Amino acid sequence: MPLSSADFAAIWLTLKLASLTTAILLVVGTPIALWLARTPSRWRGPVGAIVALPLVLPPTVIGFYLLLALGPHGFIGQFTQSIGLGTLTFSFSGLVLGSVIYSMPFVVQPLQNAFIAIGKRPLEVAATLRANPWDTFFSVILPLARPGFITAAILGFAHTVGEFGVVLMIGGNIPHKTRVVSVQIYDHVEALEYAQAHWLAGAMLIFSFLVLLALYSSRKTKMGWG
């Protein structure tokens, strides 16, 4: 059989992680992106730089500092222990937190660009009609920024699926708990199981191509080509 039960378990865990991470990022990233797109605050630059850090930092660096923060002596680890949750290292919850941080710019930046592209005029019109902020967001901003949300969701999901360094650092390699597809491929290669590695790597390659195809197709539709 090309794929073993362990391979399917890794695939399921990866899809579960990517789906949950993307959902959290869309909820958390939307207000951040909206603030970055609209605020005149001097803190816009520093906050934008912090959000974008995963684009330039090696994943192992992010994973290392998250490992320290989530560990028993880290500030997050001490907090989670104080409320009876233990530490988040080497757990699925830790993977989710790490994935949210690592994939943040891939969701926030497309949303920010979409909000900037809307401009001020639609918001001014909504204000003259006495729409409250919630009405403005759901009736004006959300429909106009829909392509940005689609792009953000696709990129956030795909980037989480392809994680390796961060998840390995904070999650380790625990079957059915923290072993995702990228780690499973690494295990196959280490064991010289190249045939199994080929199947999983090939699936990742096809998945990545389909993601990019969907992304470029959505952009083509948005621009009115074809």
Side-chain angles (χ1 to χ4, degrees):
M1 186 176 180
L3 297 178
S4 66
S5 59
D7 294 332
F8 282 112
I11 291 172
W12 165 246
L13 187 67
T14 302
L15 294 176
K16 179 181 174 183
L17 175 64
S19 300
L20 185 56
T21 297
T22 303
I24 293 173
L25 277 173
L26 288 174
V27 173
V28 174
T30 297
I32 296 174
L34 192 57
W35 183 82
L36 289 172
R38 301 295 176 191
T39 184
S41 172
R42 60 175 181 167
W43 291 103
R44 176 182 177 180
V47 172
I50 292 173
V51 169
L53 269 178
L55 294 174
V56 296
L57 276 179
T60 49
V61 173
I62 299 174
F64 172 69
Y65 284 112
L66 281 174
L67 183 64
L68 294 180
L70 298 177
H73 303 296
F75 68 97
I76 297 177
Q78 290 180 349
F79 171 74
T80 54
Q81 289 179 99
S82 69
I83 60 176
L85 296 179
T87 60
L88 299 181
T89 51
F90 309 110
S91 70
F92 182 76
S93 298
L95 289 189
V96 172
L97 179 58
S99 298
V100 166
I101 294 173
Y102 185 49
S103 295
M104 179 76 72
F106 292 88
V107 171
V108 170
Q109 290 189 352
L111 292 178
Q112 182 182 347
N113 293 335
F115 293 148
I116 292 174
I118 292 173
K120 295 181 180 180
R121 181 61 180 168
L123 305 183
E124 292 171 350
V125 172
T128 60
L129 297 175
R130 298 182 179 180
N132 62 47
W134 286 109
D135 287 335
T136 301
F137 178 78
F138 285 106
S139 301
V140 180
I141 295 176
L142 194 59
L144 292 176
R146 182 173 173 270
F149 277 93
I150 294 174
T151 300
I154 291 174
L155 290 179
F157 186 91
H159 190 253
T160 304
V161 167
E163 288 180 30
F164 177 72
V166 171
V167 296
L168 187 61
M169 289 289 285
I170 64 178
N173 188 3
I174 305 173
H176 304 282
K177 189 175 181 182
T178 63
R179 183 186 291 171
V180 293
V181 168
S182 56
V183 178
Q184 182 73 358
I185 293 173
Y186 180 77
D187 283 351
H188 283 317
V189 173
E190 270 202 323
L192 301 179
E193 297 170 348
Y194 290 156
Q196 292 90 332
H198 270 306
W199 277 99
L200 276 179
M204 290 285 287
L205 179 61
I206 294 172
F207 170 79
S208 300
F209 172 77
L210 292 176
V211 165
L212 291 175
L213 181 62
L215 182 60
Y216 283 113
S217 297
S218 67
R219 288 179 177 177
K220 179 180 178 181
T221 302
K222 175 186 174 184
M223 297 179 70
W225 300 346

mmCIF file of all heavy atoms in Angstrom, residues 84-130:
data_model
loop_
_atom_site.group_PDB
_atom_site.id
_atom_site.type_symbol
_atom_site.label_atom_id
_atom_site.label_comp_id
_atom_site.label_asym_id
_atom_site.label_seq_id
_atom_site.Cartn_x
_atom_site.Cartn_y
_atom_site.Cartn_z
ATOM 1 N N GLY A 84 -4.088 25.540 35.366
ATOM 2 C CA GLY A 84 -4.332 24.105 35.328
ATOM 3 C C GLY A 84 -4.286 23.450 33.969
ATOM 4 O O GLY A 84 -4.744 22.312 33.819
ATOM 5 N N LEU A 85 -3.725 24.132 32.963
ATOM 6 C CA LEU A 85 -3.659 23.562 31.618
ATOM 7 C C LEU A 85 -2.334 22.872 31.325
ATOM 8 O O LEU A 85 -2.184 22.250 30.269
ATOM 9 C CB LEU A 85 -3.899 24.660 30.568
ATOM 10 C CG LEU A 85 -5.274 25.328 30.577
ATOM 11 C CD1 LEU A 85 -5.327 26.412 29.502
ATOM 12 C CD2 LEU A 85 -6.374 24.300 30.350
ATOM 13 N N GLY A 86 -1.390 22.979 32.228
ATOM 14 C CA GLY A 86 -0.063 22.435 31.957
ATOM 15 C C GLY A 86 0.660 23.302 30.936
ATOM 16 O O GLY A 86 0.321 24.471 30.726
ATOM 17 N N THR A 87 1.638 22.737 30.280
ATOM 18 C CA THR A 87 2.351 23.464 29.230
ATOM 19 C C THR A 87 1.819 23.061 27.856
ATOM 20 O O THR A 87 1.276 21.970 27.695
ATOM 21 C CB THR A 87 3.867 23.191 29.290
ATOM 22 O OG1 THR A 87 4.092 21.787 29.120
ATOM 23 C CG2 THR A 87 4.455 23.644 30.610
ATOM 24 N N LEU A 88 1.983 23.954 26.897
ATOM 25 C CA LEU A 88 1.483 23.703 25.547
ATOM 26 C C LEU A 88 2.528 23.065 24.635
ATOM 27 O O LEU A 88 2.213 22.739 23.489
ATOM 28 C CB LEU A 88 0.993 25.013 24.920
ATOM 29 C CG LEU A 88 -0.159 25.725 25.645
ATOM 30 C CD1 LEU A 88 -0.555 26.986 24.896
ATOM 31 C CD2 LEU A 88 -1.364 24.799 25.794
ATOM 32 N N THR A 89 3.749 22.921 25.123
ATOM 33 C CA THR A 89 4.769 22.286 24.297
ATOM 34 C C THR A 89 4.415 20.821 24.062
ATOM 35 O O THR A 89 3.835 20.159 24.923
ATOM 36 C CB THR A 89 6.149 22.374 24.979
ATOM 37 O OG1 THR A 89 6.034 21.905 26.328
ATOM 38 C CG2 THR A 89 6.652 23.802 24.980
ATOM 39 N N PHE A 90 4.768 20.330 22.859
ATOM 40 C CA PHE A 90 4.537 18.939 22.474
ATOM 41 C C PHE A 90 3.056 18.554 22.607
ATOM 42 O O PHE A 90 2.723 17.467 23.092
ATOM 43 C CB PHE A 90 5.427 18.001 23.288
ATOM 44 C CG PHE A 90 6.867 18.403 23.265
ATOM 45 C CD1 PHE A 90 7.484 18.916 24.397
ATOM 46 C CD2 PHE A 90 7.607 18.329 22.091
ATOM 47 C CE1 PHE A 90 8.814 19.325 24.359
ATOM 48 C CE2 PHE A 90 8.933 18.728 22.044
ATOM 49 C CZ PHE A 90 9.537 19.231 23.185
ATOM 50 N N SER A 91 2.200 19.486 22.200
ATOM 51 C CA SER A 91 0.760 19.242 22.209
ATOM 52 C C SER A 91 0.148 19.851 20.955
ATOM 53 O O SER A 91 0.741 20.730 20.316
ATOM 54 C CB SER A 91 0.106 19.858 23.451
ATOM 55 O OG SER A 91 0.125 21.279 23.373
ATOM 56 N N PHE A 92 -1.049 19.403 20.599
ATOM 57 C CA PHE A 92 -1.730 19.949 19.428
ATOM 58 C C PHE A 92 -2.067 21.421 19.643
ATOM 59 O O PHE A 92 -1.981 22.225 18.707
ATOM 60 C CB PHE A 92 -2.994 19.150 19.140
ATOM 61 C CG PHE A 92 -3.734 19.624 17.925
ATOM 62 C CD1 PHE A 92 -3.274 19.318 16.647
ATOM 63 C CD2 PHE A 92 -4.886 20.386 18.052
ATOM 64 C CE1 PHE A 92 -3.947 19.776 15.515
ATOM 65 C CE2 PHE A 92 -5.569 20.832 16.926
ATOM 66 C CZ PHE A 92 -5.098 20.528 15.658
ATOM 67 N N SER A 93 -2.438 21.786 20.861
ATOM 68 C CA SER A 93 -2.739 23.191 21.154
ATOM 69 C C SER A 93 -1.517 24.073 20.923
ATOM 70 O O SER A 93 -1.637 25.194 20.414
ATOM 71 C CB SER A 93 -3.213 23.336 22.605
ATOM 72 O OG SER A 93 -4.396 22.604 22.831
ATOM 73 N N GLY A 94 -0.344 23.561 21.293
ATOM 74 C CA GLY A 94 0.883 24.297 21.036
ATOM 75 C C GLY A 94 1.138 24.465 19.551
ATOM 76 O O GLY A 94 1.593 25.530 19.094
ATOM 77 N N LEU A 95 0.837 23.423 18.767
ATOM 78 C CA LEU A 95 0.987 23.515 17.315
ATOM 79 C C LEU A 95 0.070 24.595 16.736
ATOM 80 O O LEU A 95 0.472 25.346 15.840
ATOM 81 C CB LEU A 95 0.659 22.174 16.657
ATOM 82 C CG LEU A 95 1.637 21.016 16.829
ATOM 83 C CD1 LEU A 95 1.218 19.863 15.915
ATOM 84 C CD2 LEU A 95 3.055 21.434 16.530
ATOM 85 N N VAL A 96 -1.144 24.668 17.247
ATOM 86 C CA VAL A 96 -2.097 25.671 16.759
ATOM 87 C C VAL A 96 -1.573 27.072 17.049
ATOM 88 O O VAL A 96 -1.576 27.944 16.169
ATOM 89 C CB VAL A 96 -3.490 25.466 17.408
ATOM 90 C CG1 VAL A 96 -4.413 26.629 17.031
ATOM 91 C CG2 VAL A 96 -4.091 24.149 16.964
ATOM 92 N N LEU A 97 -1.120 27.291 18.272
ATOM 93 C CA LEU A 97 -0.595 28.616 18.631
ATOM 94 C C LEU A 97 0.606 28.973 17.773
ATOM 95 O O LEU A 97 0.703 30.096 17.246
ATOM 96 C CB LEU A 97 -0.216 28.640 20.114
ATOM 97 C CG LEU A 97 0.371 29.961 20.629
ATOM 98 C CD1 LEU A 97 -0.601 31.111 20.403
ATOM 99 C CD2 LEU A 97 0.728 29.839 22.113
ATOM 100 N N GLY A 98 1.534 28.039 17.624
ATOM 101 C CA GLY A 98 2.710 28.293 16.793
ATOM 102 C C GLY A 98 2.345 28.546 15.348
ATOM 103 O O GLY A 98 2.919 29.424 14.688
ATOM 104 N N SER A 99 1.378 27.814 14.841
ATOM 105 C CA SER A 99 0.954 27.979 13.445
ATOM 106 C C SER A 99 0.279 29.319 13.225
ATOM 107 O O SER A 99 0.447 29.956 12.174
ATOM 108 C CB SER A 99 0.001 26.843 13.047
ATOM 109 O OG SER A 99 0.648 25.590 13.135
ATOM 110 N N VAL A 100 -0.502 29.769 14.204
ATOM 111 C CA VAL A 100 -1.155 31.079 14.105
ATOM 112 C C VAL A 100 -0.116 32.188 13.996
ATOM 113 O O VAL A 100 -0.226 33.092 13.161
ATOM 114 C CB VAL A 100 -2.087 31.316 15.318
ATOM 115 C CG1 VAL A 100 -2.494 32.782 15.409
ATOM 116 C CG2 VAL A 100 -3.312 30.428 15.220
ATOM 117 N N ILE A 101 0.911 32.105 14.820
ATOM 118 C CA ILE A 101 1.971 33.127 14.789
ATOM 119 C C ILE A 101 2.762 33.043 13.494
ATOM 120 O O ILE A 101 3.038 34.061 12.837
ATOM 121 C CB ILE A 101 2.894 32.956 16.009
ATOM 122 C CG1 ILE A 101 2.121 33.266 17.298
ATOM 123 C CG2 ILE A 101 4.133 33.856 15.895
ATOM 124 C CD1 ILE A 101 2.886 32.968 18.567
ATOM 125 N N TYR A 102 3.102 31.824 13.080
ATOM 126 C CA TYR A 102 3.956 31.648 11.906
ATOM 127 C C TYR A 102 3.242 32.014 10.606
ATOM 128 O O TYR A 102 3.855 32.525 9.665
ATOM 129 C CB TYR A 102 4.431 30.192 11.852
ATOM 130 C CG TYR A 102 5.429 29.897 10.754
ATOM 131 C CD1 TYR A 102 6.546 30.703 10.571
ATOM 132 C CD2 TYR A 102 5.248 28.812 9.907
ATOM 133 C CE1 TYR A 102 7.465 30.426 9.566
ATOM 134 C CE2 TYR A 102 6.165 28.525 8.907
ATOM 135 C CZ TYR A 102 7.268 29.348 8.744
ATOM 136 O OH TYR A 102 8.171 29.073 7.738
ATOM 137 N N SER A 103 1.937 31.774 10.533
ATOM 138 C CA SER A 103 1.193 32.051 9.306
ATOM 139 C C SER A 103 0.493 33.407 9.318
ATOM 140 O O SER A 103 -0.210 33.746 8.366
ATOM 141 C CB SER A 103 0.153 30.948 9.059
ATOM 142 O OG SER A 103 0.779 29.701 8.822
ATOM 143 N N MET A 104 0.657 34.165 10.388
ATOM 144 C CA MET A 104 -0.031 35.448 10.526
ATOM 145 C C MET A 104 0.131 36.382 9.320
ATOM 146 O O MET A 104 -0.866 36.899 8.798
ATOM 147 C CB MET A 104 0.461 36.150 11.803
ATOM 148 C CG MET A 104 -0.165 37.506 12.062
ATOM 149 S SD MET A 104 -1.855 37.405 12.699
ATOM 150 C CE MET A 104 -1.559 36.814 14.362
ATOM 151 N N PRO A 105 1.345 36.635 8.817
ATOM 152 C CA PRO A 105 1.460 37.591 7.707
ATOM 153 C C PRO A 105 0.787 37.130 6.422
ATOM 154 O O PRO A 105 0.375 37.960 5.608
ATOM 155 C CB PRO A 105 2.972 37.722 7.519
ATOM 156 C CG PRO A 105 3.562 36.487 8.101
ATOM 157 C CD PRO A 105 2.659 36.149 9.254
ATOM 158 N N PHE A 106 0.643 35.831 6.242
ATOM 159 C CA PHE A 106 0.018 35.317 5.026
ATOM 160 C C PHE A 106 -1.493 35.539 5.012
ATOM 161 O O PHE A 106 -2.125 35.406 3.971
ATOM 162 C CB PHE A 106 0.340 33.827 4.869
ATOM 163 C CG PHE A 106 1.788 33.566 4.587
ATOM 164 C CD1 PHE A 106 2.684 33.417 5.628
ATOM 165 C CD2 PHE A 106 2.254 33.508 3.286
ATOM 166 C CE1 PHE A 106 4.037 33.197 5.377
ATOM 167 C CE2 PHE A 106 3.597 33.280 3.025
ATOM 168 C CZ PHE A 106 4.495 33.134 4.074
ATOM 169 N N VAL A 107 -2.042 35.874 6.159
ATOM 170 C CA VAL A 107 -3.456 36.213 6.249
ATOM 171 C C VAL A 107 -3.643 37.725 6.408
ATOM 172 O O VAL A 107 -4.485 38.328 5.748
ATOM 173 C CB VAL A 107 -4.124 35.459 7.423
ATOM 174 C CG1 VAL A 107 -5.547 35.961 7.667
ATOM 175 C CG2 VAL A 107 -4.136 33.961 7.146
ATOM 176 N N VAL A 108 -2.857 38.329 7.270
ATOM 177 C CA VAL A 108 -3.031 39.755 7.560
ATOM 178 C C VAL A 108 -2.718 40.624 6.346
ATOM 179 O O VAL A 108 -3.471 41.562 6.029
ATOM 180 C CB VAL A 108 -2.157 40.176 8.760
ATOM 181 C CG1 VAL A 108 -2.151 41.706 8.915
ATOM 182 C CG2 VAL A 108 -2.666 39.534 10.038
ATOM 183 N N GLN A 109 -1.635 40.339 5.643
ATOM 184 C CA GLN A 109 -1.240 41.215 4.540
ATOM 185 C C GLN A 109 -2.237 41.225 3.378
ATOM 186 O O GLN A 109 -2.557 42.303 2.861
ATOM 187 C CB GLN A 109 0.168 40.860 4.069
ATOM 188 C CG GLN A 109 1.236 41.237 5.096
ATOM 189 C CD GLN A 109 2.648 41.091 4.579
ATOM 190 O OE1 GLN A 109 2.885 40.561 3.496
ATOM 191 N NE2 GLN A 109 3.617 41.541 5.362
ATOM 192 N N PRO A 110 -2.770 40.077 2.917
ATOM 193 C CA PRO A 110 -3.813 40.146 1.881
ATOM 194 C C PRO A 110 -5.055 40.903 2.342
ATOM 195 O O PRO A 110 -5.664 41.642 1.564
ATOM 196 C CB PRO A 110 -4.138 38.681 1.597
ATOM 197 C CG PRO A 110 -2.921 37.926 2.005
ATOM 198 C CD PRO A 110 -2.378 38.671 3.183
ATOM 199 N N LEU A 111 -5.430 40.725 3.616
ATOM 200 C CA LEU A 111 -6.579 41.452 4.139
ATOM 201 C C LEU A 111 -6.300 42.944 4.203
ATOM 202 O O LEU A 111 -7.148 43.775 3.845
ATOM 203 C CB LEU A 111 -6.946 40.925 5.536
ATOM 204 C CG LEU A 111 -7.507 39.509 5.615
ATOM 205 C CD1 LEU A 111 -7.769 39.130 7.055
ATOM 206 C CD2 LEU A 111 -8.774 39.381 4.796
ATOM 207 N N GLN A 112 -5.106 43.298 4.653
ATOM 208 C CA GLN A 112 -4.733 44.707 4.727
ATOM 209 C C GLN A 112 -4.778 45.354 3.354
ATOM 210 O O GLN A 112 -5.306 46.465 3.194
ATOM 211 C CB GLN A 112 -3.335 44.843 5.341
ATOM 212 C CG GLN A 112 -2.871 46.283 5.501
ATOM 213 C CD GLN A 112 -1.461 46.380 6.058
ATOM 214 O OE1 GLN A 112 -0.908 45.388 6.551
ATOM 215 N NE2 GLN A 112 -0.869 47.553 5.993
ATOM 216 N N ASN A 113 -4.235 44.680 2.356
ATOM 217 C CA ASN A 113 -4.258 45.212 0.984
ATOM 218 C C ASN A 113 -5.689 45.371 0.474
ATOM 219 O O ASN A 113 -6.011 46.339 -0.225
ATOM 220 C CB ASN A 113 -3.458 44.306 0.057
ATOM 221 C CG ASN A 113 -1.972 44.319 0.361
ATOM 222 O OD1 ASN A 113 -1.456 45.291 0.913
ATOM 223 N ND2 ASN A 113 -1.281 43.256 0.021
ATOM 224 N N ALA A 114 -6.555 44.408 0.827
ATOM 225 C CA ALA A 114 -7.955 44.475 0.397
ATOM 226 C C ALA A 114 -8.666 45.658 1.056
ATOM 227 O O ALA A 114 -9.455 46.360 0.400
ATOM 228 C CB ALA A 114 -8.665 43.171 0.736
ATOM 229 N N PHE A 115 -8.389 45.891 2.323
ATOM 230 C CA PHE A 115 -9.026 47.008 3.024
ATOM 231 C C PHE A 115 -8.525 48.353 2.488
ATOM 232 O O PHE A 115 -9.303 49.305 2.366
ATOM 233 C CB PHE A 115 -8.745 46.904 4.528
ATOM 234 C CG PHE A 115 -9.386 45.722 5.192
ATOM 235 C CD1 PHE A 115 -8.776 45.097 6.266
ATOM 236 C CD2 PHE A 115 -10.588 45.209 4.722
ATOM 237 C CE1 PHE A 115 -9.358 43.999 6.885
ATOM 238 C CE2 PHE A 115 -11.191 44.103 5.328
ATOM 239 C CZ PHE A 115 -10.576 43.505 6.408
ATOM 240 N N ILE A 116 -7.240 48.425 2.168
ATOM 241 C CA ILE A 116 -6.691 49.657 1.595
ATOM 242 C C ILE A 116 -7.320 49.937 0.237
ATOM 243 O O ILE A 116 -7.640 51.087 -0.105
ATOM 244 C CB ILE A 116 -5.156 49.559 1.476
ATOM 245 C CG1 ILE A 116 -4.521 49.553 2.870
ATOM 246 C CG2 ILE A 116 -4.595 50.720 0.646
ATOM 247 C CD1 ILE A 116 -3.017 49.312 2.859
ATOM 248 N N ALA A 117 -7.525 48.886 -0.562
ATOM 249 C CA ALA A 117 -8.085 49.050 -1.906
ATOM 250 C C ALA A 117 -9.525 49.562 -1.888
ATOM 251 O O ALA A 117 -9.986 50.162 -2.860
ATOM 252 C CB ALA A 117 -8.016 47.727 -2.663
ATOM 253 N N ILE A 118 -10.232 49.342 -0.789
ATOM 254 C CA ILE A 118 -11.617 49.820 -0.687
ATOM 255 C C ILE A 118 -11.671 51.341 -0.735
ATOM 256 O O ILE A 118 -12.571 51.929 -1.343
ATOM 257 C CB ILE A 118 -12.274 49.293 0.603
ATOM 258 C CG1 ILE A 118 -12.468 47.781 0.523
ATOM 259 C CG2 ILE A 118 -13.614 49.978 0.852
ATOM 260 C CD1 ILE A 118 -12.961 47.160 1.814
ATOM 261 N N GLY A 119 -10.686 51.973 -0.095
ATOM 262 C CA GLY A 119 -10.672 53.435 -0.060
ATOM 263 C C GLY A 119 -11.602 53.992 1.008
ATOM 264 O O GLY A 119 -12.286 53.250 1.718
ATOM 265 N N LYS A 120 -11.662 55.305 1.095
ATOM 266 C CA LYS A 120 -12.460 55.960 2.140
ATOM 267 C C LYS A 120 -13.892 56.250 1.702
ATOM 268 O O LYS A 120 -14.786 56.378 2.529
ATOM 269 C CB LYS A 120 -11.786 57.274 2.555
ATOM 270 C CG LYS A 120 -10.432 57.099 3.212
ATOM 271 C CD LYS A 120 -9.862 58.450 3.617
ATOM 272 C CE LYS A 120 -8.495 58.293 4.296
ATOM 273 N NZ LYS A 120 -7.921 59.612 4.689
ATOM 274 N N ARG A 121 -14.113 56.373 0.401
ATOM 275 C CA ARG A 121 -15.414 56.818 -0.093
ATOM 276 C C ARG A 121 -16.568 55.929 0.356
ATOM 277 O O ARG A 121 -17.586 56.443 0.854
ATOM 278 C CB ARG A 121 -15.366 56.915 -1.629
ATOM 279 C CG ARG A 121 -16.662 57.399 -2.258
ATOM 280 C CD ARG A 121 -17.030 58.788 -1.789
ATOM 281 N NE ARG A 121 -18.281 59.252 -2.398
ATOM 282 C CZ ARG A 121 -18.942 60.312 -1.997
ATOM 283 N NH1 ARG A 121 -18.494 61.032 -0.968
ATOM 284 N NH2 ARG A 121 -20.052 60.672 -2.609
ATOM 285 N N PRO A 122 -16.500 54.586 0.206
ATOM 286 C CA PRO A 122 -17.629 53.752 0.654
ATOM 287 C C PRO A 122 -17.914 53.896 2.144
ATOM 288 O O PRO A 122 -19.072 53.850 2.561
ATOM 289 C CB PRO A 122 -17.163 52.330 0.311
ATOM 290 C CG PRO A 122 -16.172 52.505 -0.776
ATOM 291 C CD PRO A 122 -15.464 53.774 -0.457
ATOM 292 N N LEU A 123 -16.871 54.091 2.951
ATOM 293 C CA LEU A 123 -17.061 54.248 4.390
ATOM 294 C C LEU A 123 -17.713 55.589 4.705
ATOM 295 O O LEU A 123 -18.540 55.686 5.635
ATOM 296 C CB LEU A 123 -15.716 54.120 5.109
ATOM 297 C CG LEU A 123 -14.919 52.843 4.825
ATOM 298 C CD1 LEU A 123 -13.652 52.808 5.664
ATOM 299 C CD2 LEU A 123 -15.764 51.606 5.093
ATOM 300 N N GLU A 124 -17.344 56.616 3.960
ATOM 301 C CA GLU A 124 -17.950 57.925 4.152
ATOM 302 C C GLU A 124 -19.434 57.907 3.788
ATOM 303 O O GLU A 124 -20.267 58.512 4.473
ATOM 304 C CB GLU A 124 -17.213 58.970 3.319
ATOM 305 C CG GLU A 124 -15.789 59.234 3.797
ATOM 306 C CD GLU A 124 -14.997 60.115 2.831
ATOM 307 O OE1 GLU A 124 -15.492 60.350 1.711
ATOM 308 O OE2 GLU A 124 -13.899 60.553 3.208
ATOM 309 N N VAL A 125 -19.762 57.199 2.714
ATOM 310 C CA VAL A 125 -21.165 57.070 2.318
ATOM 311 C C VAL A 125 -21.955 56.333 3.399
ATOM 312 O O VAL A 125 -23.081 56.722 3.748
ATOM 313 C CB VAL A 125 -21.283 56.332 0.968
ATOM 314 C CG1 VAL A 125 -22.734 56.011 0.647
ATOM 315 C CG2 VAL A 125 -20.655 57.162 -0.141
ATOM 316 N N ALA A 126 -21.365 55.260 3.937
ATOM 317 C CA ALA A 126 -22.035 54.510 5.007
ATOM 318 C C ALA A 126 -22.244 55.391 6.236
ATOM 319 O O ALA A 126 -23.289 55.309 6.897
ATOM 320 C CB ALA A 126 -21.207 53.283 5.372
ATOM 321 N N ALA A 127 -21.261 56.246 6.524
ATOM 322 C CA ALA A 127 -21.383 57.137 7.681
ATOM 323 C C ALA A 127 -22.508 58.149 7.488
ATOM 324 O O ALA A 127 -23.247 58.472 8.428
ATOM 325 C CB ALA A 127 -20.060 57.852 7.924
ATOM 326 N N THR A 128 -22.656 58.665 6.261
ATOM 327 C CA THR A 128 -23.732 59.631 5.994
ATOM 328 C C THR A 128 -25.103 58.978 6.132
ATOM 329 O O THR A 128 -26.099 59.665 6.405
ATOM 330 C CB THR A 128 -23.601 60.228 4.579
ATOM 331 O OG1 THR A 128 -23.676 59.177 3.601
ATOM 332 C CG2 THR A 128 -22.272 60.958 4.430
ATOM 333 N N LEU A 129 -25.171 57.663 5.942
ATOM 334 C CA LEU A 129 -26.424 56.932 6.102
ATOM 335 C C LEU A 129 -26.622 56.456 7.544
ATOM 336 O O LEU A 129 -27.531 55.678 7.835
ATOM 337 C CB LEU A 129 -26.446 55.726 5.158
ATOM 338 C CG LEU A 129 -26.415 56.057 3.660
ATOM 339 C CD1 LEU A 129 -26.309 54.791 2.836
ATOM 340 C CD2 LEU A 129 -27.652 56.846 3.263
ATOM 341 N N ARG A 130 -25.718 56.922 8.428
ATOM 342 C CA ARG A 130 -25.780 56.625 9.856
ATOM 343 C C ARG A 130 -25.638 55.134 10.170
ATOM 344 O O ARG A 130 -26.255 54.612 11.103
ATOM 345 C CB ARG A 130 -27.082 57.163 10.460
ATOM 346 C CG ARG A 130 -27.214 58.676 10.363
ATOM 347 C CD ARG A 130 -28.482 59.165 11.019
ATOM 348 N NE ARG A 130 -28.582 60.619 10.924
ATOM 349 C CZ ARG A 130 -29.600 61.325 11.409
ATOM 350 N NH1 ARG A 130 -30.597 60.693 12.023
ATOM 351 N NH2 ARG A 130 -29.619 62.639 11.281
#
